[in-house]
């Protein structure tokens, strides 16, 4: 016997992108194949290439040669295994899969024989699993037809490209089928090939596979016997085991290697994608046209072109020319022009403001500024270009565009029309199993009691499914004694992060110069008329496609409306790209954490940080935006950074090698790209290895891959003379940071928007508040808290008024008038109808007049009355409600409308009614509007509290350590996973907000109060730290409202 | 998604497995049957028509894991036996 090991390549293998069928991540298959000594591995998911790019990238990174393929479903339901031999074969596979999806009902892909025949070139076909046409006919005893079918495939693909596939998974019938298949092959002169029909990387996963099949059939395991696999042998086999399985067909094993050698198509190489050239005027090239556009815009922006401007522009244009990116910039310019057209249509007037803005590193480019992509003058603000454009550009620069919400929807459709339907596709995403979905679906498949599953799903802290073991221990420890529940926990943990279905990415579109269908298969989205690529954003990125992200950003909607309001009310046109970026008033407010409503820096956590870090410029703000993210928090970066910034501790580095990459962030990791830089500096990773590390962390987190990388990292460190201890410590920080941080350029763009919104808030508080109220839901605080903050900043809040309010909130002088749309029971459309009716036929003259002229529901009218929208008619709210009851009587509104010419007097029925108390008016406001323009509830409750209570404002004068008792309305409850069980409350009283810290022990005692009580009395200790004030609670109780509701109010309705 | 990819065309329904009888089988070290004792008479195995594996009910107290053999005995009789891989022991299955 030859000592050489028999080689084998698996050519039929499913990942979990064979949705609810394959039971291993592509990464797990790759690592297992490598461990088994495979040289190559094919991925053949059912009717898709969802995981193909991810698999190929990963396989290459680990030194395994990836083969791209798919198991397609043919008309008649037969399966066929297809592998790409060449680029042409790949294009054909893409076309076949696209045909399977787009020409058939959604989720029922089928390839028609005629289409298969005309796209066979470049593909190698294997006759398939037992559900293939040839094996199926054999098992049905129709041998002649089986042979005929094989003959047909041979004709389509050619005798050298069609193979008879043998599988041996220890299923009854395998031996008989394989003998018959071998006969057919012999008679037709076809090669035999052995495959494993792999559905998971290791045998233990067969349980998960069973569960996936049960979930797919919406059945329990017991009820899905007939459709489940009969045993656990559908795993990746070692070459030795394959040799034993196919001892009677050794040539079938050798053929696998031969086929693998012929599959030379490399998905990770250039696919030939090109972004389209936007048509340029005759006589111009893309380069010359971009240059002309920039110079024209520069003339407009700057008036006079200084040498500095011209130099920078020439430098950038040269780089753009060098990398052939002129067309790329022109496309973005085109998209912004389309957006501008849409904005003009939507707003009914020409749009002066650029309709969208870039985030990310594009803000550093002068070209981007000039073509309207970025809103920041890079020269004035001394922004470093290098990250965006440099001499050795690895990939196309990233440009994400943020748009106001309404505009974005229309822009997606307009882009389709402009570039052509076959050249534009939406990027896909794959929602994955999370804790709740995994618990519910796995539990159902195992037949566990629904009530108990529901409890486990609801009470769990959520998040990753892998944590199910901990949750079970916490919530139902007794269950762990039961083997079925232990299996349950095991499977739930395994299903974590498995893709569940194909969905649409939030805003990514790919635009291509040639039909996309040659590059990637297309598939229907659930939303009619939309077409998805079969790849998610990471795969699209790996393919070096250009993805244009159209994102909807509520803050941008608010800023845009704010500018409009300023122009309408003050006659001032604010150009945000020209505002003073060093306005001290703005930074003073930021350092006081007086930032409610400001983009990115308004949250409770930010409020705790701002007075410590005290940002005084855009660079500082860039750090500030990045620092309150799970990455830096988990990576333990926040406290060292704050202390170092305050000069309380020296800036140190875990190792001198880290100084160059961490100097700007005082020795801690704050930005995503620093993870890569650290790995390169400390462990000597190549850029490719560092990228692999980033992937392992940011994508499907695979424990095995991380363990390998950790090993590599530590070895690399040791080689560079870094101690084992330091290497471990730094790797720990990187792993904790993971991917949950912002890249610096992204932080910079967000910091700019944060500054701009802070500037608007300081400069035009009324317009700012109004635009926030109209852009809801967004941000951290509810409208009721926003209006109280507005009042503290001198903005009066006016209640809704049927004759003054518009549908949305509006500005009156220095006050904000609440819009009719805020009244519960009035839809946005109805509010607009009321406004339009008033504009057409003049003010409403009475409640009766209003009822006659509008179709607002009774509930809506009642709420309008309750919140004072009819107060201007001189009647009290109770009288109006009484009247309303009489007007409706028992006939209801319809009868009233039909008989509206009858004289209708209700005066004789009127009853003298006491006026609502101020407290009742306030309570009615909250009920009807969700906020009160008039008063804070605590201003009434204050009267019944004794002098031991202090107000939020009074806290500012008390010393650290003082015992305090406060009362207020809870506006925010947080129990961050990063805070080890500590609960943070924000309580609002008539003077402002108070931050409360509830330690776990206290929380356990007062859990129900903390979770559900709206008004709380808190006793505790005042804690002052670097300008922040917190109350550390030691006891809590509810604040009774009983004394506030007078008895007659109760008997009224 | 594909319907039914787990289905095996000729796989017997679980019900059919239900009435196995204990049987004496002599097997080699790898579990390959060499002889079967039927009605007190030892018969050598002349050939294996098929062997297959069934794994089921892992979610129950007692999981099922069996290696089946369809054997041709020296006298030409065809019998189906399985080895219980959980508890050990051989059983004869009358189809």
């Amino acid at each position: 016997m030859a000592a050489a090991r028999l080689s084998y390549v698996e050519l039929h293998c499913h990942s979990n992108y064979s949705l609810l069928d394959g039971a291993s991540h592509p990464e797990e298959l790759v690592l297992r194949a490598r461990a088994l000594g495979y040289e190559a591995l094919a991925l053949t998911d059912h009717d898709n290439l969802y995981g193909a790019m991810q698999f190929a990238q990963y396989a290459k990174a680990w030194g395994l040669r990836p083969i791209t393929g798919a198991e397609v479903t043919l008309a008649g339901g037969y399966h066929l295994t297809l592998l790409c031999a060449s680029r042409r074969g790949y294009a054909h596979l893409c076309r076949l899969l696209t045909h399977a999806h787009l020409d058939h009902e959604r989720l029922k892909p089928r390839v028609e024989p005629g289409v298969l025949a005309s796209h066979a070139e470049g593909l190698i076909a294997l006759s398939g699993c037992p559900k293939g046409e040839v094996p199926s006919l054999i098992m049905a005893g129709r041998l002649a037809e089986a042979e005929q079918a094989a003959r047909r495939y041979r004709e389509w693909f050619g005798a050298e490209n069609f193979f008879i596939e043998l599988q041996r998974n220890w299923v009854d019938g395998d031996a008989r089928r394989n003998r018959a298949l071998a006969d057919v092959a012999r008679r037709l002169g076809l090669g035999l090939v052995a495959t494993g029909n792999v559905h998971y990387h290791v045998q233990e996963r067969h349980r998960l596979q069973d569960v996936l099949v049960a979930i797919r059939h919406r059945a329990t395991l017991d009820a899905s016997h007939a459709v489940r696999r009969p045993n656990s042998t559908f795993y990746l086999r070692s070459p030795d085991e394959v040799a034993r399985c196919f001892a009677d067909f050794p040539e079938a094993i050798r053929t696998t290697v031969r086929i693998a050698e012929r599959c030379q198509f490399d998905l990770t190489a250039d696919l030939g994608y090109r972004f389209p050239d936007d048509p340029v005027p005759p006589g111009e090239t893309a380069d010359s046209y971009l240059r002309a556009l920039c110079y024209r815009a520069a003339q407009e922006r700057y008036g006079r072109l200084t040498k500095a401007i011209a130099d920078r522009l020439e430098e950038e244009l040269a780089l753009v020319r060098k990398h052939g990116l002129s067309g790329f910039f022109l496309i973005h310019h085109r998209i912004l022009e389309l957006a501008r057209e849409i904005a003009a249509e939507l707003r009914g007037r020409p749009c002066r403001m650029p309709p969208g803005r870039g985030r990310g590193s594009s803000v550093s480019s002068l070209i981007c500024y000039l073509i309207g992509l970025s809103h920041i003058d890079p020269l004035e603000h001394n922004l470093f270009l290098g990250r965006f454009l440099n001499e050795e550009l690895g990939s196309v620069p990233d440009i994400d565009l943020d748009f106001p919400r309404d505009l974005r929807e229309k822009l997606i459709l307009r882009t389709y029309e402009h570039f052509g339907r076959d050249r534009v596709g939406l990027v896909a995403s794959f929602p994955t199993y999370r804790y709740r979905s995994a618990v519910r679906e796995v539990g159902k498949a195992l037949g566990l009691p629904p009530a108990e599953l529901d409890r486990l799903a609801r009470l769990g802290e959520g998040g990753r499914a892998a944590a199910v073991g901990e949750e079970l221990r916490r919530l139902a420890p007794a269950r762990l004694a039961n083997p079925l529940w232990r299996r349950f926990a095991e499977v739930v943990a395994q299903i974590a992060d498995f893709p569940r279905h194909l969905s649409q990415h939030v805003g990514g579109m790919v635009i291509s110069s040639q039909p996309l269908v040659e590059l990637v298969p297309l598939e229907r989205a659930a939303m009619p008329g939309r077409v998805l690529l079969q790849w998610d954003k990471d795969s699209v990125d790996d393919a070096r496609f250009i993805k244009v992200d159209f994102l909807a950003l509520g803050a941008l909607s608010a800023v845009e409306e704010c500018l409009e309001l300023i122009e309408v009310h003050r006659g001032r046109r604010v150009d945000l790209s020209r505002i003073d970026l060093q306005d001290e008033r703005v930074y003073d407010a930021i350092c006081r954490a007086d930032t409610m409503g400001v983009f990115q820096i308004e949250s409770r956590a930010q409020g705790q940080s701002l007075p410590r870090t005290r940002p005084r410029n855009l660079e500082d703000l860039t750090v500030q935006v990045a620092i309150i993210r799970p990455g830096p928090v988990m990576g333990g970066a926040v406290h060292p950074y704050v202390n170092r910034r305050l000069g309380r501790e020296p800036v140190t580095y875990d190792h001198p090698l880290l100084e160059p990459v961490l100097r700007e962030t005082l020795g801690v990791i704050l930005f995503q790209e620093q993870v890569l830089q650290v790995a390169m500096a400390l462990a000597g990773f190549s850029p490719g290895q560092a990228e692999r590390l980033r992937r392992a962390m940011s994508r499907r987190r695979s424990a095995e891959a991380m363990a390998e990388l950790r090993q590599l990292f530590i070895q690399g460190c040791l080689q560079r003379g870094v101690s084992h201890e330091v290497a471990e410590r730094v790797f720990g920080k990187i792993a904790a940071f993971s991917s949950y941080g912002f890249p610096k350029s992204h932080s910079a763009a967000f910091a700019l928007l944060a500054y701009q919104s802070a500037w608007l808030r300081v400069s035009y508080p009324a317009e700012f508040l109004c635009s926030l109220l109209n852009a809801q839901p967004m941000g951290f605080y509810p409208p009721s808290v926003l209006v109280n903050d507005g009042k503290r900043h001198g903005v009066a809040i006016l209640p809704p008024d049927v004759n003054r309010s518009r549908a949305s909130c509006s500005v009156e002088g220095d006050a904000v008038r609440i819009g009719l749309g805020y009244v519960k029971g009035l839809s946005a459309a109805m509010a607009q109808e009321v406004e339009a009716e008033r504009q057409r036929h003049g003010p409403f003259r009475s409640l009766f007049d209003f009822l006659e002229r509008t179709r607002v529901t009774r509930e809506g009218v009642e709420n309008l009355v309750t919140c004072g929208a009819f107060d201007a008619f001189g009647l009290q709210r109770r009288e109006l409600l009484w009247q309303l009851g009489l007007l409706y009587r028992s006939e209801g509104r319809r009868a009233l409308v039909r008989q509206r010419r009858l004289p209708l007097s209700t005066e004789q029925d009127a009853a003298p009614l006491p006026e609502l108390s101020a407290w009742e008016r306030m309570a009615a406001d909250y009920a009807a509007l969700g906020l009160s323009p008039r008063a804070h509830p605590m201003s009434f409750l204050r009267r019944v509290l004794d002098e031991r209570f202090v107000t939020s404002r009074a806290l500012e004068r008390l010393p650290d350590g003082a015992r305090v008792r406060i009362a207020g309305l809870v506006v925010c409850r947080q129990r961050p996973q990063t805070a080890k069980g500590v609960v943070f409350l924000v309580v609002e009283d008539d003077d402002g907000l108070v931050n409360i810290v509830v330690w776990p022990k206290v929380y356990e005692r007062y859990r129900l109060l903390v979770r559900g009580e709206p008004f709380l009395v808190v006793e505790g200790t005042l804690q002052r730290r670097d300008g922040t004030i917190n109350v550390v609670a030691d006891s809590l109780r509810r604040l009774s409202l009983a004394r506030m509701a007078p008895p007659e109010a109760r008997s009224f309705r | 998604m594909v319907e039914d990819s787990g289905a095996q065309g000729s796989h017997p329904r679980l019900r059919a497995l239900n009435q196995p009888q204990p049987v004496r089988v002599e097997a080699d070290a790898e579990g390959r049957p060499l002889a079967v004792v039927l009605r007190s008479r030892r018969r050598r195995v002349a050939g294996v028509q098929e062997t297959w594996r069934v794994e089921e009910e892992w979610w129950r107290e007692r999981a099922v894991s069996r290696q089946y053999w369809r054997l041709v005995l020296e006298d030409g009789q065809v019998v189906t036996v399985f080895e219980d891989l959980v508890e050990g022991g051989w059983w004869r299955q009358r189809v």
Side-chain angles (χ1 to χ4, degrees):
Chain A
M1 273 299 276
R5 225 165 127 194
L6 200 57
S7 293
Y8 173 73
V9 174
E10 183 54 63
L11 297 174
H12 190 138
C13 177
H14 297 275
S15 73
N16 54 10
Y17 285 98
S18 289
L19 300 176
L20 299 182
D21 189 12
S24 294
H25 292 285
E27 287 83 349
E28 291 172 322
L29 293 164
V30 166
L31 290 175
R32 180 70 185 152
R34 208 180 66 125
L36 291 172
Y38 282 43
E39 277 165 26
L41 176 66
L43 188 71
T44 54
D45 280 318
H46 284 297
D47 301 303
N48 73 61
L49 294 181
Y50 299 161
M53 179 58 84
Q54 187 184 333
F55 166 74
Q57 293 286 344
Y58 206 80
K60 278 209 100 155
W62 289 104
L64 183 77
R65 200 160 64 74
I67 297 170
T68 302
E71 183 174 6
V72 298
T73 307
L74 304 177
Y78 294 126
H79 290 185
L80 185 70
T81 316
L82 295 178
L83 303 169
C84 300
S86 62
R87 172 72 184 83
R88 179 138 185 87
Y90 176 73
H92 278 159
L93 183 60
C94 291
R95 284 202 176 267
L96 285 170
L97 292 173
T98 303
H99 148 77
H101 285 279
L102 293 190
D103 298 344
H104 299 89
E105 207 181 314
R106 194 169 99 86
L107 304 182
K108 292 212 161 47
R110 287 286 183 275
V111 172
E112 308 296 336
V115 183
L116 181 63
S118 56
H119 292 84
E121 195 195 330
L123 288 170
I124 291 176
L126 317 184
S127 61
C129 64
K131 295 184 84 186
E133 186 171 5
V134 181
S136 294
L137 290 169
I138 284 176
M139 292 315 271
R142 294 149 68 183
L143 294 178
E145 285 168 78
E147 194 171 317
Q148 212 175 346
R151 219 181 282 278
R152 209 167 58 235
Y153 288 111
R154 187 181 65 175
E155 208 167 291
W156 290 340
F157 289 91
E160 67 287 1
N161 298 319
F162 177 61
F163 294 85
I164 295 293
E165 192 171 348
L166 302 180
Q167 295 185 343
R168 189 90 180 90
N169 294 100
W170 309 115
V171 178
D172 189 12
D174 278 357
R176 185 160 67 93
R177 189 186 58 244
N178 286 343
R179 281 193 294 270
L181 281 168
D183 282 348
V184 170
R186 198 173 46 247
R187 279 200 296 279
L188 300 188
L190 295 169
L192 286 175
V193 59
T195 73
N197 200 9
V198 171
H199 279 69
Y200 30 87
H201 69 301
V202 288
Q203 188 163 18
E204 301 81 73
R205 281 289 170 89
H206 80 96
R207 287 185 283 271
L208 173 57
Q209 210 272 331
D210 281 350
V211 168
L212 291 171
V213 174
I215 291 175
R216 190 171 79 230
H217 289 274
R218 297 189 179 78
T220 60
L221 285 166
D222 283 320
S224 59
H225 169 77
V227 290
R228 272 187 288 106
R229 299 194 170 275
N231 64 42
S232 64
T233 65
F234 296 79
Y235 55 88
L236 264 182
R237 292 177 174 136
S238 69
D240 288 345
E241 196 180 344
V242 173
R244 283 199 298 278
C245 281
F246 292 99
D248 38 354
F249 299 106
E251 79 276 16
I253 302 175
R254 283 192 292 273
T255 313
T256 63
V257 180
R258 251 179 47 226
I259 292 176
E261 274 161 12
R262 287 183 49 205
C263 290
Q264 284 303 329
F265 169 69
D266 181 0
L267 189 57
T268 65
D270 188 7
L271 288 179
Y273 165 86
R274 298 286 174 271
F275 48 81
D277 291 322
D278 206 45
V280 293
E284 298 261 21
T285 63
D287 289 341
S288 71
Y289 187 54
L290 179 66
R291 159 185 293 270
L293 267 181
C294 288
Y295 272 98
R296 204 180 321 142
Q299 209 75 27
E300 278 171 32
R301 286 267 187 191
Y302 297 106
R304 205 178 61 84
L305 282 189
T306 62
K307 181 162 184 317
I309 297 170
D311 285 353
R312 172 67 170 254
L313 189 50
E314 282 305 322
E315 182 200 345
E316 289 195 19
L317 285 171
L319 283 168
V320 165
R321 215 168 31 241
K322 173 177 173 176
H323 297 301
L325 289 173
S326 292
F328 170 75
F329 284 98
L330 289 174
I331 288 293
H332 281 84
H333 182 246
R334 167 68 54 205
I335 289 168
L336 288 168
E337 289 301 310
L338 292 177
R340 194 187 294 274
E341 283 168 26
I342 296 167
E345 290 163 24
L346 281 173
R347 317 277 182 254
R349 59 190 175 83
C351 179
R352 199 179 34 79
M353 250 272 288
R357 60 164 73 193
R359 57 165 82 163
S361 54
S362 62
V363 293
S364 63
S365 148
L366 179 58
I367 295 179
C368 288
Y369 178 57
L370 293 176
I371 65 176
L373 232 151
S374 126
H375 290 206
I376 195 167
D377 181 343
L379 287 172
E380 198 179 323
H381 303 296
N382 217 358
L383 292 179
F384 172 60
L385 181 68
R387 244 185 309 272
F388 182 63
L389 272 179
N390 54 49
E391 283 291 326
E392 51 206 281
L393 207 54
S395 62
V396 175
D398 226 15
I399 300 185
D400 293 348
L401 296 169
D402 286 323
F403 291 99
R405 287 185 192 131
D406 51 348
L407 206 154
R408 174 183 166 267
E409 293 307 310
K410 289 216 157 55
L411 182 59
I412 289 177
L413 298 175
R414 192 70 56 93
T415 308
Y416 263 123
E417 289 162 22
H418 184 85
F419 292 98
R421 298 218 148 246
D422 58 339
R423 286 166 166 77
V424 178
L426 294 165
V427 176
S429 77
F430 297 95
T432 55
Y433 274 98
R434 309 274 298 153
Y435 174 78
R436 291 209 166 96
S437 47
V439 164
R440 291 213 160 96
E441 293 185 22
V442 172
K444 199 173 143 203
L446 287 171
L448 295 170
E452 211 159 334
L453 291 172
D454 191 54
R455 181 172 161 271
L456 191 61
R458 273 188 302 106
L459 293 184
E461 296 283 331
R464 280 176 58 82
V468 67
E470 288 161 40
E471 294 293 349
L472 262 181
R473 257 189 296 287
R474 199 167 67 82
L475 297 168
R479 286 306 192 185
L480 283 170
N482 177 329
L484 183 56
W485 281 89
R486 281 206 304 273
R487 287 287 185 216
F488 163 79
E490 175 190 303
V491 174
V492 168
Q494 284 172 352
I495 208 173
D497 300 330
F498 264 48
R500 303 172 70 189
H501 56 93
L502 178 77
S503 179
Q504 187 186 322
H505 177 256
V506 283
M509 289 186 109
V510 170
I511 306 172
S512 165
S513 64
Q514 74 264 52
L516 272 169
V517 49
E518 303 250 305
L519 302 171
V520 56
L522 306 178
E523 181 168 346
R524 280 176 218 279
M527 203 182 289
R530 294 201 179 176
V531 170
L532 295 174
L533 310 187
Q534 282 195 340
W535 284 346
D536 67 4
K537 66 180 171 60
D538 291 336
S539 294
V540 161
D541 182 43
D542 286 336
R544 291 173 292 278
F545 289 2
I546 290 174
K547 174 167 71 74
V548 185
D549 269 331
F550 298 159
L551 302 168
L553 196 58
L556 212 51
S557 309
V559 165
E560 189 187 287
E561 186 181 347
C562 188
L563 295 177
E564 250 179 70
L565 288 169
I566 295 168
E567 191 171 335
V568 171
H569 290 276
R570 322 259 168 205
R572 250 172 261 159
R573 290 183 159 199
V574 175
D575 180 352
L576 280 182
S577 70
R578 321 287 300 171
I579 61 172
D580 178 7
L581 286 182
Q582 212 41 65
D583 189 331
E584 297 306 319
R585 298 174 307 152
V586 176
Y587 285 112
D588 290 345
I590 289 174
C591 291
R592 283 197 307 272
D594 181 10
T595 53
M596 191 180 291
V598 175
F599 181 60
Q600 287 284 317
I601 52 166
E602 62 166 340
S603 69
R604 187 202 56 79
Q606 283 282 356
Q608 292 284 302
S609 168
L610 289 169
R612 298 173 200 211
T613 48
R614 307 189 61 77
R616 295 307 304 187
N617 55 45
L618 270 188
E619 278 290 298
D620 292 348
L621 266 187
T622 302
V623 167
Q624 192 59 38
V625 166
I627 199 167
I628 307 294
R629 300 280 310 159
V633 173
M634 302 289 280
V638 180
H639 288 295
Y641 180 83
V642 170
N643 285 333
R644 290 167 190 194
R645 181 151 166 105
L646 291 171
R648 266 194 218 135
E649 65 172 60
V651 175
T652 58
Y653 302 91
D654 286 307
H655 192 275
L657 284 171
L658 293 177
E659 190 176 337
V661 295
L662 297 182
R663 191 184 299 124
E664 67 167 342
T665 52
L666 310 181
V668 303
I669 300 176
L670 287 188
F671 300 118
Q672 219 178 66
E673 55 266 48
Q674 286 176 322
V675 170
L676 275 71
Q677 292 166 337
V678 164
M680 287 159 70
L682 198 66
F685 273 29
S686 67
Q689 283 176 313
E691 183 60 16
R692 238 164 77 200
L693 178 64
R694 187 186 70 83
R695 266 161 212 258
M697 294 190 319
S698 78
R699 297 183 175 186
R700 314 269 167 268
R701 292 191 70 165
S702 160
E704 284 172 76
M706 277 303 273
E708 293 228 36
L709 284 161
R710 179 198 188 90
Q711 211 48 44
L712 268 179
F713 183 91
I714 289 172
Q715 272 166 21
C717 286
L718 292 176
Q719 271 165 27
R720 294 161 77 86
V722 179
S723 77
H724 199 275
E725 187 219 327
V726 168
E728 288 274 3
R729 192 189 325 143
V730 174
F731 191 86
K733 286 181 184 177
I734 291 180
F737 184 95
S738 190
S739 62
Y740 305 110
F742 283 153
K744 183 173 181 192
S745 47
H746 181 86
S747 293
F750 272 17
L752 177 65
L753 186 54
Y755 179 86
Q756 289 170 333
S757 61
W759 185 88
L760 287 169
R761 180 173 179 273
V762 168
S763 312
Y764 300 95
E767 284 81 359
F768 181 76
L769 176 61
C770 184
S771 65
L772 277 186
L773 291 176
N774 287 339
Q776 295 294 319
M778 65 167 282
F780 191 79
Y781 297 98
S784 60
V785 181
L786 293 175
V787 298
N788 290 333
D789 184 67
K791 283 191 238 171
R792 288 192 290 273
H793 289 81
V795 180
I797 309 297
L798 304 171
D801 182 317
V802 288
N803 279 330
R804 289 177 171 274
S805 285
R806 309 190 53 177
S808 53
C809 300
S810 52
V811 176
E812 287 181 21
D814 283 325
V816 171
R817 171 76 67 185
I818 301 298
L820 297 174
Y822 260 83
V823 180
K824 286 181 186 153
L826 254 76
S827 63
M830 190 57 73
Q832 264 154 14
E833 217 177 286
V834 173
E835 188 185 339
E837 166 59 26
R838 200 176 66 209
Q839 274 167 0
R840 271 197 307 274
H841 300 111
F844 300 106
R845 293 182 303 277
S846 66
L847 176 59
F848 177 60
D849 187 36
F850 182 85
L851 288 176
E852 271 206 324
R853 288 165 56 189
T854 70
R855 297 181 300 149
V856 179
T857 60
R858 180 165 185 173
E859 187 206 353
V861 180
E862 275 181 7
N863 281 329
L864 280 166
V865 170
T866 317
C867 70
F870 288 100
D871 282 7
F873 297 140
L875 286 172
Q876 287 177 30
R877 295 185 195 178
R878 274 189 182 141
E879 290 171 328
L880 284 163
L881 284 174
W882 181 270
Q883 227 183 50
L884 187 64
L886 293 174
L887 288 173
Y888 270 99
R889 293 251 167 93
S890 55
E891 309 91 279
R893 176 75 172 281
R894 276 169 191 281
L896 172 85
V897 172
R898 273 205 306 278
Q899 300 171 18
R900 68 177 181 272
R901 287 202 195 85
L902 290 178
L904 217 129
S905 165
T906 54
E907 275 156 34
Q908 67 280 10
D909 296 326
L913 294 164
E915 203 174 336
L916 287 178
S917 71
W919 165 264
E920 286 167 323
R921 275 206 299 272
M922 183 278 304
D925 287 340
Y926 267 91
L929 292 175
L931 56 87
S932 175
R934 282 160 255 267
H936 194 278
M938 284 307 297
S939 63
F940 303 99
L941 290 162
R942 180 76 51 206
R943 279 177 242 141
V944 302
L945 301 176
D946 61 39
E947 67 288 349
R948 283 172 303 170
F949 282 84
V950 293
T951 67
S952 54
R953 189 174 304 149
L955 285 181
E956 288 165 23
R957 295 189 300 272
L958 294 173
D960 182 48
R963 294 284 308 159
V964 294
R965 179 182 292 183
I966 57 158
L969 180 60
V970 180
V971 296
C972 160
R973 299 177 179 88
Q974 282 186 323
R975 190 161 184 254
Q977 298 200 331
T978 50
K980 303 182 183 78
V982 180
V983 176
F984 300 103
L985 299 175
V986 179
V987 165
E988 187 189 46
D989 70 8
D990 35 344
D991 273 355
L993 302 177
V994 188
N995 287 302
I996 313 279
V997 180
V998 186
W999 288 100
K1001 269 193 171 166
V1002 181
Y1003 174 65
E1004 286 308 320
R1005 204 164 352 128
Y1006 300 103
R1007 185 191 284 260
L1008 286 178
L1009 283 177
V1010 172
R1011 278 197 161 183
E1013 199 59 44
F1015 288 93
L1016 281 182
V1017 171
V1018 181
E1019 282 183 60
T1021 313
L1022 186 75
Q1023 190 183 65
R1024 311 183 74 101
R1025 295 279 185 279
D1026 312 315
T1028 65
I1029 296 178
N1030 283 286
V1031 173
V1032 181
D1034 45 41
S1035 85
L1036 298 146
R1037 63 183 162 86
R1038 62 184 278 269
L1039 176 60
S1040 165
L1041 307 183
R1043 272 197 276 173
M1044 300 315 301
E1048 65 271 22
R1050 287 194 185 155
S1051 60
F1052 172 58
R1053 284 178 71 189
Chain B
M1 234 180 291
V2 173
E3 319 108 64
D4 256 24
S5 75
Q8 296 287 332
S10 62
H11 180 64
R13 300 283 302 191
L14 193 59
R15 222 164 288 130
L17 309 177
N18 280 349
Q19 305 301 329
Q21 305 290 320
V23 65
R24 257 193 67 207
V25 173
E26 292 167 25
D28 67 11
E30 285 174 4
R32 219 180 152 75
L34 301 173
V36 180
V37 180
L38 291 178
R39 287 180 292 279
S40 318
R41 264 186 45 212
R42 180 177 183 279
R43 301 172 209 214
R44 275 188 302 108
V45 173
V48 176
Q49 273 190 355
E50 186 89 70
T51 174
W52 68 98
R53 173 80 62 97
V54 170
E55 274 145 329
E56 260 294 341
E57 308 201 347
W58 50 262
W59 56 94
R60 293 191 187 284
E61 205 66 36
R62 193 173 174 285
V64 172
S65 178
R66 300 171 179 175
Q67 183 72 36
Y68 276 83
W69 300 86
R70 192 178 298 123
L71 305 169
V72 184
L73 304 181
E74 54 187 325
D75 58 0
Q77 190 185 351
V78 176
V79 293
T80 300
V81 297
F82 66 81
E83 184 181 10
D84 184 332
L85 300 176
V86 180
E87 312 223 315
W90 287 85
W91 301 76
R92 181 175 179 196
Q93 182 87 47
R94 284 175 208 276
V95 184

